[in-house]
Amino acid sequence: MLADHQEYDVVVTAVTRAGIAVRADGHDGFIDRTEHPSWWSNTPRPAVGDRMRAVVLDATRTPPRFSALPSDIRTARSLRHTEPLTRLCPPPGRGRTVEWAAVEEALGTALPADYKRLVEWYGGGLFAGILWLLEPGCPDALYDLAAQTAEREEILTELWEAGEDKPPELHEDDVRLVPWGYVEGAGHFLYWLVRPDAEPEEWTVLLNEGRGPLWEAHPVSCSQFLLEVVAGTTTSFYFTGIDDIVDPEDRNRFIPNSQILHR
């Protein structure tokens, strides 16, 4: 059974004016011609027998629609953990509409597709009774994406100028941090390591402990990090003891900002 966002090694079985018929894991599929790199670049046109990596865009179509574009494959890898998260920790039932172009312009960077999906499905709020997802446009600056990006940049700059060691990942040129998560009480912040040579879906998650100079690096998306915290499979030192501090009924519950902040 094919599933959205899953990757497969596909074989071209036919080439038509509309696109490419493929075979993937025993199933037929189709790649519209605009979803193959040759439409956008000098990549050779597909031929019968070619093998390529492709991702399922829509498994409900007949035949299911695939894409072989590297950008779609990166996005799918990022989104792959959002749906398991919603099954384990259901959204509150009403999503958000966000003008992402304006948000990204204000931040000076694009944002990962899975983060956008989380905000649109959940909004900002508290996962697993402990981990706060920052959101754009939150009326409380402590939980607002843009406000915290500016504030944390200023705080960290002051700490490093005072002699605190930077994590090794920040010794690269032109990298920056953008916070996306916060643990109230402990004060831990979760950041994306924004690198100019990497797509947002490839960014590393960096955790900075709230009351000390230590950092953790996790080469996963924010949705995968959240899923592992909620599921209890995280390797983060700061969340492995979550069962000792979070009520069991809160582990699989999301509480939106609208409920917590009474807006």
mmCIF file with all atom_site columns, all heavy atoms in Angstrom, residues 222-235:
data_model
loop_
_atom_site.group_PDB
_atom_site.id
_atom_site.type_symbol
_atom_site.label_atom_id
_atom_site.label_alt_id
_atom_site.label_comp_id
_atom_site.label_asym_id
_atom_site.label_entity_id
_atom_site.label_seq_id
_atom_site.pdbx_PDB_ins_code
_atom_site.Cartn_x
_atom_site.Cartn_y
_atom_site.Cartn_z
_atom_site.occupancy
_atom_site.B_iso_or_equiv
_atom_site.pdbx_formal_charge
_atom_site.auth_seq_id
_atom_site.auth_comp_id
_atom_site.auth_asym_id
_atom_site.auth_atom_id
_atom_site.pdbx_PDB_model_num
ATOM 1   N N   . CYS A 1 222 ? 11.994 19.285 13.242 1.00 0.00 ? 222 CYS A N   1
ATOM 2   C CA  . CYS A 1 222 ? 11.316 19.622 14.501 1.00 0.00 ? 222 CYS A CA  1
ATOM 3   C C   . CYS A 1 222 ? 10.140 18.678 14.746 1.00 0.00 ? 222 CYS A C   1
ATOM 4   O O   . CYS A 1 222 ? 9.866  18.313 15.897 1.00 0.00 ? 222 CYS A O   1
ATOM 5   C CB  . CYS A 1 222 ? 10.877 21.077 14.517 1.00 0.00 ? 222 CYS A CB  1
ATOM 6   S SG  . CYS A 1 222 ? 9.606  21.547 13.324 1.00 0.00 ? 222 CYS A SG  1
ATOM 7   N N   . SER A 1 223 ? 9.442  18.250 13.692 1.00 0.00 ? 223 SER A N   1
ATOM 8   C CA  . SER A 1 223 ? 8.313  17.333 13.889 1.00 0.00 ? 223 SER A CA  1
ATOM 9   C C   . SER A 1 223 ? 8.786  15.971 14.362 1.00 0.00 ? 223 SER A C   1
ATOM 10  O O   . SER A 1 223 ? 8.125  15.333 15.197 1.00 0.00 ? 223 SER A O   1
ATOM 11  C CB  . SER A 1 223 ? 7.495  17.196 12.604 1.00 0.00 ? 223 SER A CB  1
ATOM 12  O OG  . SER A 1 223 ? 8.289  16.725 11.538 1.00 0.00 ? 223 SER A OG  1
ATOM 13  N N   . GLN A 1 224 ? 9.941  15.504 13.869 1.00 0.00 ? 224 GLN A N   1
ATOM 14  C CA  . GLN A 1 224 ? 10.470 14.234 14.357 1.00 0.00 ? 224 GLN A CA  1
ATOM 15  C C   . GLN A 1 224 ? 10.902 14.362 15.810 1.00 0.00 ? 224 GLN A C   1
ATOM 16  O O   . GLN A 1 224 ? 10.667 13.457 16.619 1.00 0.00 ? 224 GLN A O   1
ATOM 17  C CB  . GLN A 1 224 ? 11.651 13.759 13.500 1.00 0.00 ? 224 GLN A CB  1
ATOM 18  C CG  . GLN A 1 224 ? 12.186 12.399 13.959 1.00 0.00 ? 224 GLN A CG  1
ATOM 19  C CD  . GLN A 1 224 ? 13.265 11.841 13.047 1.00 0.00 ? 224 GLN A CD  1
ATOM 20  O OE1 . GLN A 1 224 ? 13.465 12.321 11.936 1.00 0.00 ? 224 GLN A OE1 1
ATOM 21  N NE2 . GLN A 1 224 ? 13.960 10.816 13.509 1.00 0.00 ? 224 GLN A NE2 1
ATOM 22  N N   . PHE A 1 225 ? 11.524 15.485 16.163 1.00 0.00 ? 225 PHE A N   1
ATOM 23  C CA  . PHE A 1 225 ? 11.929 15.689 17.552 1.00 0.00 ? 225 PHE A CA  1
ATOM 24  C C   . PHE A 1 225 ? 10.700 15.675 18.457 1.00 0.00 ? 225 PHE A C   1
ATOM 25  O O   . PHE A 1 225 ? 10.696 15.009 19.504 1.00 0.00 ? 225 PHE A O   1
ATOM 26  C CB  . PHE A 1 225 ? 12.675 17.014 17.692 1.00 0.00 ? 225 PHE A CB  1
ATOM 27  C CG  . PHE A 1 225 ? 13.359 17.182 19.018 1.00 0.00 ? 225 PHE A CG  1
ATOM 28  C CD1 . PHE A 1 225 ? 14.692 16.842 19.178 1.00 0.00 ? 225 PHE A CD1 1
ATOM 29  C CD2 . PHE A 1 225 ? 12.659 17.677 20.114 1.00 0.00 ? 225 PHE A CD2 1
ATOM 30  C CE1 . PHE A 1 225 ? 15.321 16.979 20.416 1.00 0.00 ? 225 PHE A CE1 1
ATOM 31  C CE2 . PHE A 1 225 ? 13.274 17.827 21.346 1.00 0.00 ? 225 PHE A CE2 1
ATOM 32  C CZ  . PHE A 1 225 ? 14.607 17.476 21.502 1.00 0.00 ? 225 PHE A CZ  1
ATOM 33  N N   . LEU A 1 226 ? 9.645  16.390 18.071 1.00 0.00 ? 226 LEU A N   1
ATOM 34  C CA  . LEU A 1 226 ? 8.419  16.411 18.860 1.00 0.00 ? 226 LEU A CA  1
ATOM 35  C C   . LEU A 1 226 ? 7.803  15.019 18.967 1.00 0.00 ? 226 LEU A C   1
ATOM 36  O O   . LEU A 1 226 ? 7.371  14.602 20.049 1.00 0.00 ? 226 LEU A O   1
ATOM 37  C CB  . LEU A 1 226 ? 7.408  17.365 18.220 1.00 0.00 ? 226 LEU A CB  1
ATOM 38  C CG  . LEU A 1 226 ? 7.539  18.841 18.541 1.00 0.00 ? 226 LEU A CG  1
ATOM 39  C CD1 . LEU A 1 226 ? 6.611  19.645 17.633 1.00 0.00 ? 226 LEU A CD1 1
ATOM 40  C CD2 . LEU A 1 226 ? 7.212  19.114 20.000 1.00 0.00 ? 226 LEU A CD2 1
ATOM 41  N N   . LEU A 1 227 ? 7.750  14.308 17.858 1.00 0.00 ? 227 LEU A N   1
ATOM 42  C CA  . LEU A 1 227 ? 7.170  12.962 17.858 1.00 0.00 ? 227 LEU A CA  1
ATOM 43  C C   . LEU A 1 227 ? 7.909  12.056 18.825 1.00 0.00 ? 227 LEU A C   1
ATOM 44  O O   . LEU A 1 227 ? 7.291  11.306 19.598 1.00 0.00 ? 227 LEU A O   1
ATOM 45  C CB  . LEU A 1 227 ? 7.210  12.380 16.444 1.00 0.00 ? 227 LEU A CB  1
ATOM 46  C CG  . LEU A 1 227 ? 6.749  10.924 16.292 1.00 0.00 ? 227 LEU A CG  1
ATOM 47  C CD1 . LEU A 1 227 ? 5.292  10.776 16.687 1.00 0.00 ? 227 LEU A CD1 1
ATOM 48  C CD2 . LEU A 1 227 ? 6.970  10.451 14.857 1.00 0.00 ? 227 LEU A CD2 1
ATOM 49  N N   . GLU A 1 228 ? 9.228  12.129 18.829 1.00 0.00 ? 228 GLU A N   1
ATOM 50  C CA  . GLU A 1 228 ? 10.016 11.262 19.711 1.00 0.00 ? 228 GLU A CA  1
ATOM 51  C C   . GLU A 1 228 ? 9.832  11.634 21.180 1.00 0.00 ? 228 GLU A C   1
ATOM 52  O O   . GLU A 1 228 ? 9.829  10.761 22.058 1.00 0.00 ? 228 GLU A O   1
ATOM 53  C CB  . GLU A 1 228 ? 11.486 11.318 19.305 1.00 0.00 ? 228 GLU A CB  1
ATOM 54  C CG  . GLU A 1 228 ? 11.742 10.659 17.947 1.00 0.00 ? 228 GLU A CG  1
ATOM 55  C CD  . GLU A 1 228 ? 13.172 10.813 17.463 1.00 0.00 ? 228 GLU A CD  1
ATOM 56  O OE1 . GLU A 1 228 ? 13.956 11.518 18.141 1.00 0.00 ? 228 GLU A OE1 1
ATOM 57  O OE2 . GLU A 1 228 ? 13.496 10.248 16.409 1.00 0.00 ? 228 GLU A OE2 1
ATOM 58  N N   . VAL A 1 229 ? 9.662  12.932 21.464 1.00 0.00 ? 229 VAL A N   1
ATOM 59  C CA  . VAL A 1 229 ? 9.387  13.343 22.846 1.00 0.00 ? 229 VAL A CA  1
ATOM 60  C C   . VAL A 1 229 ? 8.036  12.806 23.296 1.00 0.00 ? 229 VAL A C   1
ATOM 61  O O   . VAL A 1 229 ? 7.901  12.221 24.373 1.00 0.00 ? 229 VAL A O   1
ATOM 62  C CB  . VAL A 1 229 ? 9.440  14.877 22.977 1.00 0.00 ? 229 VAL A CB  1
ATOM 63  C CG1 . VAL A 1 229 ? 8.890  15.318 24.342 1.00 0.00 ? 229 VAL A CG1 1
ATOM 64  C CG2 . VAL A 1 229 ? 10.869 15.383 22.822 1.00 0.00 ? 229 VAL A CG2 1
ATOM 65  N N   . VAL A 1 230 ? 7.011  12.995 22.460 1.00 0.00 ? 230 VAL A N   1
ATOM 66  C CA  . VAL A 1 230 ? 5.665  12.551 22.807 1.00 0.00 ? 230 VAL A CA  1
ATOM 67  C C   . VAL A 1 230 ? 5.607  11.029 22.930 1.00 0.00 ? 230 VAL A C   1
ATOM 68  O O   . VAL A 1 230 ? 4.976  10.480 23.837 1.00 0.00 ? 230 VAL A O   1
ATOM 69  C CB  . VAL A 1 230 ? 4.649  13.051 21.764 1.00 0.00 ? 230 VAL A CB  1
ATOM 70  C CG1 . VAL A 1 230 ? 3.274  12.430 22.006 1.00 0.00 ? 230 VAL A CG1 1
ATOM 71  C CG2 . VAL A 1 230 ? 4.552  14.572 21.812 1.00 0.00 ? 230 VAL A CG2 1
ATOM 72  N N   . ALA A 1 231 ? 6.303  10.339 22.026 1.00 0.00 ? 231 ALA A N   1
ATOM 73  C CA  . ALA A 1 231 ? 6.274  8.871  22.020 1.00 0.00 ? 231 ALA A CA  1
ATOM 74  C C   . ALA A 1 231 ? 7.174  8.252  23.076 1.00 0.00 ? 231 ALA A C   1
ATOM 75  O O   . ALA A 1 231 ? 7.092  7.050  23.342 1.00 0.00 ? 231 ALA A O   1
ATOM 76  C CB  . ALA A 1 231 ? 6.678  8.352  20.643 1.00 0.00 ? 231 ALA A CB  1
ATOM 77  N N   . GLY A 1 232 ? 8.040  9.052  23.683 1.00 0.00 ? 232 GLY A N   1
ATOM 78  C CA  . GLY A 1 232 ? 8.952  8.520  24.689 1.00 0.00 ? 232 GLY A CA  1
ATOM 79  C C   . GLY A 1 232 ? 10.144 7.799  24.113 1.00 0.00 ? 232 GLY A C   1
ATOM 80  O O   . GLY A 1 232 ? 10.779 6.995  24.796 1.00 0.00 ? 232 GLY A O   1
ATOM 81  N N   . THR A 1 233 ? 10.491 8.102  22.852 1.00 0.00 ? 233 THR A N   1
ATOM 82  C CA  . THR A 1 233 ? 11.631 7.432  22.209 1.00 0.00 ? 233 THR A CA  1
ATOM 83  C C   . THR A 1 233 ? 12.808 8.373  21.995 1.00 0.00 ? 233 THR A C   1
ATOM 84  O O   . THR A 1 233 ? 13.779 8.006  21.344 1.00 0.00 ? 233 THR A O   1
ATOM 85  C CB  . THR A 1 233 ? 11.206 6.851  20.853 1.00 0.00 ? 233 THR A CB  1
ATOM 86  O OG1 . THR A 1 233 ? 10.733 7.916  20.009 1.00 0.00 ? 233 THR A OG1 1
ATOM 87  C CG2 . THR A 1 233 ? 10.112 5.814  21.023 1.00 0.00 ? 233 THR A CG2 1
ATOM 88  N N   . THR A 1 234 ? 12.747 9.573  22.547 1.00 0.00 ? 234 THR A N   1
ATOM 89  C CA  . THR A 1 234 ? 13.806 10.554 22.318 1.00 0.00 ? 234 THR A CA  1
ATOM 90  C C   . THR A 1 234 ? 15.132 10.118 22.931 1.00 0.00 ? 234 THR A C   1
ATOM 91  O O   . THR A 1 234 ? 15.167 9.433  23.963 1.00 0.00 ? 234 THR A O   1
ATOM 92  C CB  . THR A 1 234 ? 13.410 11.927 22.901 1.00 0.00 ? 234 THR A CB  1
ATOM 93  O OG1 . THR A 1 234 ? 14.439 12.876 22.635 1.00 0.00 ? 234 THR A OG1 1
ATOM 94  C CG2 . THR A 1 234 ? 13.169 11.839 24.398 1.00 0.00 ? 234 THR A CG2 1
ATOM 95  N N   . THR A 1 235 ? 16.211 10.538 22.284 1.00 0.00 ? 235 THR A N   1
ATOM 96  C CA  . THR A 1 235 ? 17.556 10.288 22.823 1.00 0.00 ? 235 THR A CA  1
ATOM 97  C C   . THR A 1 235 ? 18.092 11.516 23.543 1.00 0.00 ? 235 THR A C   1
ATOM 98  O O   . THR A 1 235 ? 19.217 11.489 24.046 1.00 0.00 ? 235 THR A O   1
ATOM 99  C CB  . THR A 1 235 ? 18.522 9.911  21.688 1.00 0.00 ? 235 THR A CB  1
ATOM 100 O OG1 . THR A 1 235 ? 18.575 10.980 20.728 1.00 0.00 ? 235 THR A OG1 1
ATOM 101 C CG2 . THR A 1 235 ? 18.085 8.622  21.019 1.00 0.00 ? 235 THR A CG2 1
#
